[in-house]
């Protein structure tokens, strides 16, 4: 039997590998790795553009699960909580929040209840790997 991923809602939330979902030690270092210029490494021009405009950016976290380090980092660096929309097909993933998720929408990734071009940024992580979704239909 394959063990459940420790950072999934069905995994072990006390696992040291799921610390970024639970604000434990190491979270700051992980956020810096993703979002800050450090040790001469430059973040992508796309992320720089997003960060400059965070107060006005609307973000869709598609297949949000229990949350993501990326979206938590966006909030930390200035994204207003009301501009983050978390969508997941499983309502149980919204039972616990480590950071503000004001818009929690239960929906199928292939049938989103939003107008075209409503979002400036769509983020997804493991959505297509964890589900039997056709990538083309989701896009």
């Amino acid at each position: 039997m394959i063990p459940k991923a420790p950072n999934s809602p069905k995994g072990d939330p006390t696992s040291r590998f799921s610390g970024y979902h639970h604000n434990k030690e190491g979270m700051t270092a992980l956020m810096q790795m993703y979002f800050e210029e450090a040790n001469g490494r430059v973040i992508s021009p796309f992320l720089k553009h997003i960060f400059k405009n965070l107060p006005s950016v609307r973000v869709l976290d598609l297949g949000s699960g229990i949350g993501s380090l990326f979206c938590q980092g966006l909030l930390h660096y200035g994204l207003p909580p009301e501009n983050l929309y978390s969508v997941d097909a499983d309502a149980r993933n919204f039972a616990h929040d480590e950071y503000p998720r004001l818009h929690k929408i239960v929906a199928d990734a292939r049938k989103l209840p939003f107008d075209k071009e409503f979002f400036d940024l769509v983020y997804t992580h493991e959505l297509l790997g964890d589900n039997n979704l056709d990538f083309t239909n989701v896009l």
Side-chain angles (χ1 to χ4, degrees):
M1 181 173 153
I2 298 173
K4 300 284 185 200
N7 63 345
S8 75
K10 297 175 185 166
D12 176 9
T14 63
S15 166
R16 66 185 177 91
F17 296 110
S18 63
Y20 64 87
H21 284 298
H22 301 284
N23 285 333
K24 293 188 178 159
E25 283 185 47
M27 161 99 159
T28 303
L30 279 170
M31 283 176 42
Q32 287 175 343
M33 179 180 74
Y34 277 96
F35 294 107
E36 295 179 7
E37 297 174 327
N39 302 324
R41 293 175 48 200
V42 177
I43 61 175
S44 76
F46 173 72
L47 282 179
K48 279 188 177 186
H49 173 75
I50 293 295
F51 289 145
K52 281 184 189 175
N53 298 297
L54 272 178
S56 63
V57 170
R58 245 185 293 187
V59 177
L60 170 62
D61 186 6
L62 186 58
S64 62
I66 60 174
S68 72
L69 174 65
F70 183 78
C71 291
Q72 188 170 8
L74 291 176
L75 291 165
H76 175 81
Y77 288 102
L79 179 71
E82 60 272 13
N83 288 7
L84 175 62
Y85 293 74
S86 298
V87 173
D88 201 281
D90 189 346
R92 294 174 293 179
N93 287 328
F94 297 127
H96 180 76
D97 292 331
E98 291 292 336
Y99 55 89
R101 295 199 298 172
L102 304 177
H103 304 288
K104 299 185 264 189
I105 299 107
V106 178
D108 185 306
R110 296 163 291 193
K111 300 174 188 163
L112 297 175
F114 303 103
D115 292 333
K116 288 183 179 188
E117 300 185 27
F118 184 78
F119 297 101
D120 302 296
L121 174 68
V122 176
Y123 172 79
T124 187
H125 180 72
E126 298 182 17
L127 173 71
L128 301 172
D130 288 349
N131 300 285
N132 293 321
L133 296 175
D134 180 340
F135 184 71
T136 306
N137 286 337
V138 173
L139 286 178

PDB file of all heavy atoms in Angstrom, residues 92-110:
ATOM      1  N   ARG A  92     -14.197  19.367   1.997  1.00  0.00           N
ATOM      2  CA  ARG A  92     -13.423  19.050   3.206  1.00  0.00           C
ATOM      3  C   ARG A  92     -12.079  19.775   3.234  1.00  0.00           C
ATOM      4  O   ARG A  92     -11.521  20.007   4.295  1.00  0.00           O
ATOM      5  CB  ARG A  92     -13.192  17.538   3.320  1.00  0.00           C
ATOM      6  CG  ARG A  92     -14.484  16.746   3.536  1.00  0.00           C
ATOM      7  CD  ARG A  92     -14.216  15.278   3.503  1.00  0.00           C
ATOM      8  NE  ARG A  92     -13.801  14.926   2.134  1.00  0.00           N
ATOM      9  CZ  ARG A  92     -13.474  13.702   1.758  1.00  0.00           C
ATOM     10  NH1 ARG A  92     -13.486  12.709   2.621  1.00  0.00           N
ATOM     11  NH2 ARG A  92     -13.130  13.453   0.513  1.00  0.00           N
ATOM     12  N   ASN A  93     -11.585  20.160   2.075  1.00  0.00           N
ATOM     13  CA  ASN A  93     -10.302  20.865   2.026  1.00  0.00           C
ATOM     14  C   ASN A  93     -10.383  22.284   2.583  1.00  0.00           C
ATOM     15  O   ASN A  93      -9.364  22.922   2.793  1.00  0.00           O
ATOM     16  CB  ASN A  93      -9.753  20.888   0.603  1.00  0.00           C
ATOM     17  CG  ASN A  93      -9.244  19.535   0.182  1.00  0.00           C
ATOM     18  OD1 ASN A  93      -8.748  18.771   1.003  1.00  0.00           O
ATOM     19  ND2 ASN A  93      -9.381  19.226  -1.080  1.00  0.00           N
ATOM     20  N   PHE A  94     -11.577  22.772   2.820  1.00  0.00           N
ATOM     21  CA  PHE A  94     -11.755  24.112   3.371  1.00  0.00           C
ATOM     22  C   PHE A  94     -12.012  24.093   4.876  1.00  0.00           C
ATOM     23  O   PHE A  94     -12.311  25.122   5.468  1.00  0.00           O
ATOM     24  CB  PHE A  94     -12.899  24.840   2.668  1.00  0.00           C
ATOM     25  CG  PHE A  94     -12.656  25.063   1.202  1.00  0.00           C
ATOM     26  CD1 PHE A  94     -13.584  24.664   0.268  1.00  0.00           C
ATOM     27  CD2 PHE A  94     -11.498  25.676   0.766  1.00  0.00           C
ATOM     28  CE1 PHE A  94     -13.371  24.881  -1.096  1.00  0.00           C
ATOM     29  CE2 PHE A  94     -11.262  25.899  -0.578  1.00  0.00           C
ATOM     30  CZ  PHE A  94     -12.203  25.499  -1.512  1.00  0.00           C
ATOM     31  N   ALA A  95     -11.904  22.936   5.499  1.00  0.00           N
ATOM     32  CA  ALA A  95     -12.223  22.812   6.930  1.00  0.00           C
ATOM     33  C   ALA A  95     -11.227  23.551   7.830  1.00  0.00           C
ATOM     34  O   ALA A  95     -11.572  23.964   8.926  1.00  0.00           O
ATOM     35  CB  ALA A  95     -12.291  21.345   7.323  1.00  0.00           C
ATOM     36  N   HIS A  96     -10.002  23.721   7.377  1.00  0.00           N
ATOM     37  CA  HIS A  96      -8.974  24.355   8.202  1.00  0.00           C
ATOM     38  C   HIS A  96      -8.143  25.287   7.332  1.00  0.00           C
ATOM     39  O   HIS A  96      -7.662  24.887   6.283  1.00  0.00           O
ATOM     40  CB  HIS A  96      -8.081  23.280   8.830  1.00  0.00           C
ATOM     41  CG  HIS A  96      -7.004  23.852   9.684  1.00  0.00           C
ATOM     42  ND1 HIS A  96      -7.253  24.344  10.934  1.00  0.00           N
ATOM     43  CD2 HIS A  96      -5.689  24.021   9.466  1.00  0.00           C
ATOM     44  CE1 HIS A  96      -6.118  24.788  11.450  1.00  0.00           C
ATOM     45  NE2 HIS A  96      -5.159  24.599  10.575  1.00  0.00           N
ATOM     46  N   ASP A  97      -7.980  26.518   7.783  1.00  0.00           N
ATOM     47  CA  ASP A  97      -7.196  27.492   7.024  1.00  0.00           C
ATOM     48  C   ASP A  97      -6.033  27.999   7.863  1.00  0.00           C
ATOM     49  O   ASP A  97      -6.227  28.397   9.006  1.00  0.00           O
ATOM     50  CB  ASP A  97      -8.055  28.697   6.624  1.00  0.00           C
ATOM     51  CG  ASP A  97      -9.117  28.336   5.607  1.00  0.00           C
ATOM     52  OD1 ASP A  97      -8.886  27.408   4.823  1.00  0.00           O
ATOM     53  OD2 ASP A  97     -10.165  28.988   5.603  1.00  0.00           O
ATOM     54  N   GLU A  98      -4.850  27.983   7.304  1.00  0.00           N
ATOM     55  CA  GLU A  98      -3.668  28.535   7.969  1.00  0.00           C
ATOM     56  C   GLU A  98      -3.467  29.998   7.600  1.00  0.00           C
ATOM     57  O   GLU A  98      -2.644  30.676   8.180  1.00  0.00           O
ATOM     58  CB  GLU A  98      -2.414  27.744   7.583  1.00  0.00           C
ATOM     59  CG  GLU A  98      -2.391  26.342   8.146  1.00  0.00           C
ATOM     60  CD  GLU A  98      -2.256  26.313   9.659  1.00  0.00           C
ATOM     61  OE1 GLU A  98      -1.734  27.286  10.242  1.00  0.00           O
ATOM     62  OE2 GLU A  98      -2.664  25.323  10.258  1.00  0.00           O
ATOM     63  N   TYR A  99      -4.180  30.472   6.603  1.00  0.00           N
ATOM     64  CA  TYR A  99      -4.096  31.854   6.157  1.00  0.00           C
ATOM     65  C   TYR A  99      -5.462  32.240   5.607  1.00  0.00           C
ATOM     66  O   TYR A  99      -6.292  31.377   5.334  1.00  0.00           O
ATOM     67  CB  TYR A  99      -2.991  32.049   5.121  1.00  0.00           C
ATOM     68  CG  TYR A  99      -3.081  31.143   3.917  1.00  0.00           C
ATOM     69  CD1 TYR A  99      -3.810  31.526   2.791  1.00  0.00           C
ATOM     70  CD2 TYR A  99      -2.442  29.916   3.884  1.00  0.00           C
ATOM     71  CE1 TYR A  99      -3.892  30.715   1.691  1.00  0.00           C
ATOM     72  CE2 TYR A  99      -2.515  29.094   2.783  1.00  0.00           C
ATOM     73  CZ  TYR A  99      -3.242  29.500   1.683  1.00  0.00           C
ATOM     74  OH  TYR A  99      -3.329  28.690   0.583  1.00  0.00           O
ATOM     75  N   PRO A 100      -5.728  33.545   5.460  1.00  0.00           N
ATOM     76  CA  PRO A 100      -7.065  33.977   5.042  1.00  0.00           C
ATOM     77  C   PRO A 100      -7.466  33.428   3.677  1.00  0.00           C
ATOM     78  O   PRO A 100      -6.776  33.650   2.686  1.00  0.00           O
ATOM     79  CB  PRO A 100      -6.949  35.501   4.988  1.00  0.00           C
ATOM     80  CG  PRO A 100      -5.765  35.844   5.786  1.00  0.00           C
ATOM     81  CD  PRO A 100      -4.843  34.673   5.714  1.00  0.00           C
ATOM     82  N   ARG A 101      -8.562  32.700   3.664  1.00  0.00           N
ATOM     83  CA  ARG A 101      -9.171  32.261   2.404  1.00  0.00           C
ATOM     84  C   ARG A 101     -10.643  32.655   2.495  1.00  0.00           C
ATOM     85  O   ARG A 101     -11.468  31.909   2.996  1.00  0.00           O
ATOM     86  CB  ARG A 101      -8.999  30.756   2.204  1.00  0.00           C
ATOM     87  CG  ARG A 101      -7.542  30.367   2.044  1.00  0.00           C
ATOM     88  CD  ARG A 101      -7.329  29.034   1.418  1.00  0.00           C
ATOM     89  NE  ARG A 101      -7.880  27.925   2.181  1.00  0.00           N
ATOM     90  CZ  ARG A 101      -7.935  26.681   1.710  1.00  0.00           C
ATOM     91  NH1 ARG A 101      -7.485  26.400   0.520  1.00  0.00           N
ATOM     92  NH2 ARG A 101      -8.443  25.719   2.448  1.00  0.00           N
ATOM     93  N   LEU A 102     -10.936  33.842   2.039  1.00  0.00           N
ATOM     94  CA  LEU A 102     -12.281  34.380   2.163  1.00  0.00           C
ATOM     95  C   LEU A 102     -13.236  33.799   1.130  1.00  0.00           C
ATOM     96  O   LEU A 102     -14.414  33.599   1.400  1.00  0.00           O
ATOM     97  CB  LEU A 102     -12.250  35.903   2.041  1.00  0.00           C
ATOM     98  CG  LEU A 102     -11.335  36.628   3.027  1.00  0.00           C
ATOM     99  CD1 LEU A 102     -11.341  38.117   2.765  1.00  0.00           C
ATOM    100  CD2 LEU A 102     -11.735  36.328   4.457  1.00  0.00           C
ATOM    101  N   HIS A 103     -12.718  33.563  -0.074  1.00  0.00           N
ATOM    102  CA  HIS A 103     -13.535  33.013  -1.157  1.00  0.00           C
ATOM    103  C   HIS A 103     -13.184  31.541  -1.307  1.00  0.00           C
ATOM    104  O   HIS A 103     -12.167  31.202  -1.909  1.00  0.00           O
ATOM    105  CB  HIS A 103     -13.265  33.738  -2.478  1.00  0.00           C
ATOM    106  CG  HIS A 103     -13.462  35.210  -2.413  1.00  0.00           C
ATOM    107  ND1 HIS A 103     -14.700  35.798  -2.325  1.00  0.00           N
ATOM    108  CD2 HIS A 103     -12.566  36.224  -2.413  1.00  0.00           C
ATOM    109  CE1 HIS A 103     -14.566  37.106  -2.287  1.00  0.00           C
ATOM    110  NE2 HIS A 103     -13.280  37.392  -2.337  1.00  0.00           N
ATOM    111  N   LYS A 104     -14.026  30.676  -0.741  1.00  0.00           N
ATOM    112  CA  LYS A 104     -13.805  29.228  -0.827  1.00  0.00           C
ATOM    113  C   LYS A 104     -14.958  28.649  -1.639  1.00  0.00           C
ATOM    114  O   LYS A 104     -16.088  28.598  -1.176  1.00  0.00           O
ATOM    115  CB  LYS A 104     -13.734  28.620   0.563  1.00  0.00           C
ATOM    116  CG  LYS A 104     -12.592  29.184   1.385  1.00  0.00           C
ATOM    117  CD  LYS A 104     -12.452  28.488   2.713  1.00  0.00           C
ATOM    118  CE  LYS A 104     -13.158  29.272   3.788  1.00  0.00           C
ATOM    119  NZ  LYS A 104     -12.868  28.746   5.138  1.00  0.00           N
ATOM    120  N   ILE A 105     -14.647  28.238  -2.850  1.00  0.00           N
ATOM    121  CA  ILE A 105     -15.675  27.806  -3.785  1.00  0.00           C
ATOM    122  C   ILE A 105     -15.496  26.329  -4.077  1.00  0.00           C
ATOM    123  O   ILE A 105     -14.413  25.887  -4.467  1.00  0.00           O
ATOM    124  CB  ILE A 105     -15.600  28.619  -5.102  1.00  0.00           C
ATOM    125  CG1 ILE A 105     -15.826  30.099  -4.805  1.00  0.00           C
ATOM    126  CG2 ILE A 105     -16.609  28.127  -6.117  1.00  0.00           C
ATOM    127  CD1 ILE A 105     -14.602  30.931  -4.889  1.00  0.00           C
ATOM    128  N   VAL A 106     -16.565  25.563  -3.889  1.00  0.00           N
ATOM    129  CA  VAL A 106     -16.560  24.143  -4.244  1.00  0.00           C
ATOM    130  C   VAL A 106     -17.050  24.050  -5.678  1.00  0.00           C
ATOM    131  O   VAL A 106     -18.198  24.409  -5.973  1.00  0.00           O
ATOM    132  CB  VAL A 106     -17.455  23.321  -3.288  1.00  0.00           C
ATOM    133  CG1 VAL A 106     -17.472  21.858  -3.714  1.00  0.00           C
ATOM    134  CG2 VAL A 106     -16.969  23.464  -1.849  1.00  0.00           C
ATOM    135  N   ALA A 107     -16.162  23.622  -6.572  1.00  0.00           N
ATOM    136  CA  ALA A 107     -16.508  23.555  -7.992  1.00  0.00           C
ATOM    137  C   ALA A 107     -15.567  22.608  -8.719  1.00  0.00           C
ATOM    138  O   ALA A 107     -14.452  22.345  -8.262  1.00  0.00           O
ATOM    139  CB  ALA A 107     -16.427  24.942  -8.627  1.00  0.00           C
ATOM    140  N   ASP A 108     -16.029  22.131  -9.850  1.00  0.00           N
ATOM    141  CA  ASP A 108     -15.235  21.295 -10.738  1.00  0.00           C
ATOM    142  C   ASP A 108     -14.320  22.218 -11.545  1.00  0.00           C
ATOM    143  O   ASP A 108     -14.770  23.255 -12.062  1.00  0.00           O
ATOM    144  CB  ASP A 108     -16.178  20.531 -11.671  1.00  0.00           C
ATOM    145  CG  ASP A 108     -15.463  19.540 -12.562  1.00  0.00           C
ATOM    146  OD1 ASP A 108     -14.508  19.940 -13.276  1.00  0.00           O
ATOM    147  OD2 ASP A 108     -15.850  18.365 -12.554  1.00  0.00           O
ATOM    148  N   ALA A 109     -13.064  21.846 -11.677  1.00  0.00           N
ATOM    149  CA  ALA A 109     -12.087  22.679 -12.396  1.00  0.00           C
ATOM    150  C   ALA A 109     -12.474  22.896 -13.857  1.00  0.00           C
ATOM    151  O   ALA A 109     -12.052  23.864 -14.474  1.00  0.00           O
ATOM    152  CB  ALA A 109     -10.703  22.045 -12.313  1.00  0.00           C
ATOM    153  N   ARG A 110     -13.284  22.006 -14.408  1.00  0.00           N
ATOM    154  CA  ARG A 110     -13.687  22.130 -15.808  1.00  0.00           C
ATOM    155  C   ARG A 110     -14.906  23.028 -16.000  1.00  0.00           C
ATOM    156  O   ARG A 110     -15.246  23.370 -17.120  1.00  0.00           O
ATOM    157  CB  ARG A 110     -13.990  20.740 -16.385  1.00  0.00           C
ATOM    158  CG  ARG A 110     -12.745  19.854 -16.419  1.00  0.00           C
ATOM    159  CD  ARG A 110     -13.119  18.427 -16.593  1.00  0.00           C
ATOM    160  NE  ARG A 110     -13.773  17.975 -15.353  1.00  0.00           N
ATOM    161  CZ  ARG A 110     -14.014  16.708 -15.047  1.00  0.00           C
ATOM    162  NH1 ARG A 110     -13.674  15.765 -15.882  1.00  0.00           N
ATOM    163  NH2 ARG A 110     -14.580  16.387 -13.909  1.00  0.00           N
TER     164      ARG A 110
END
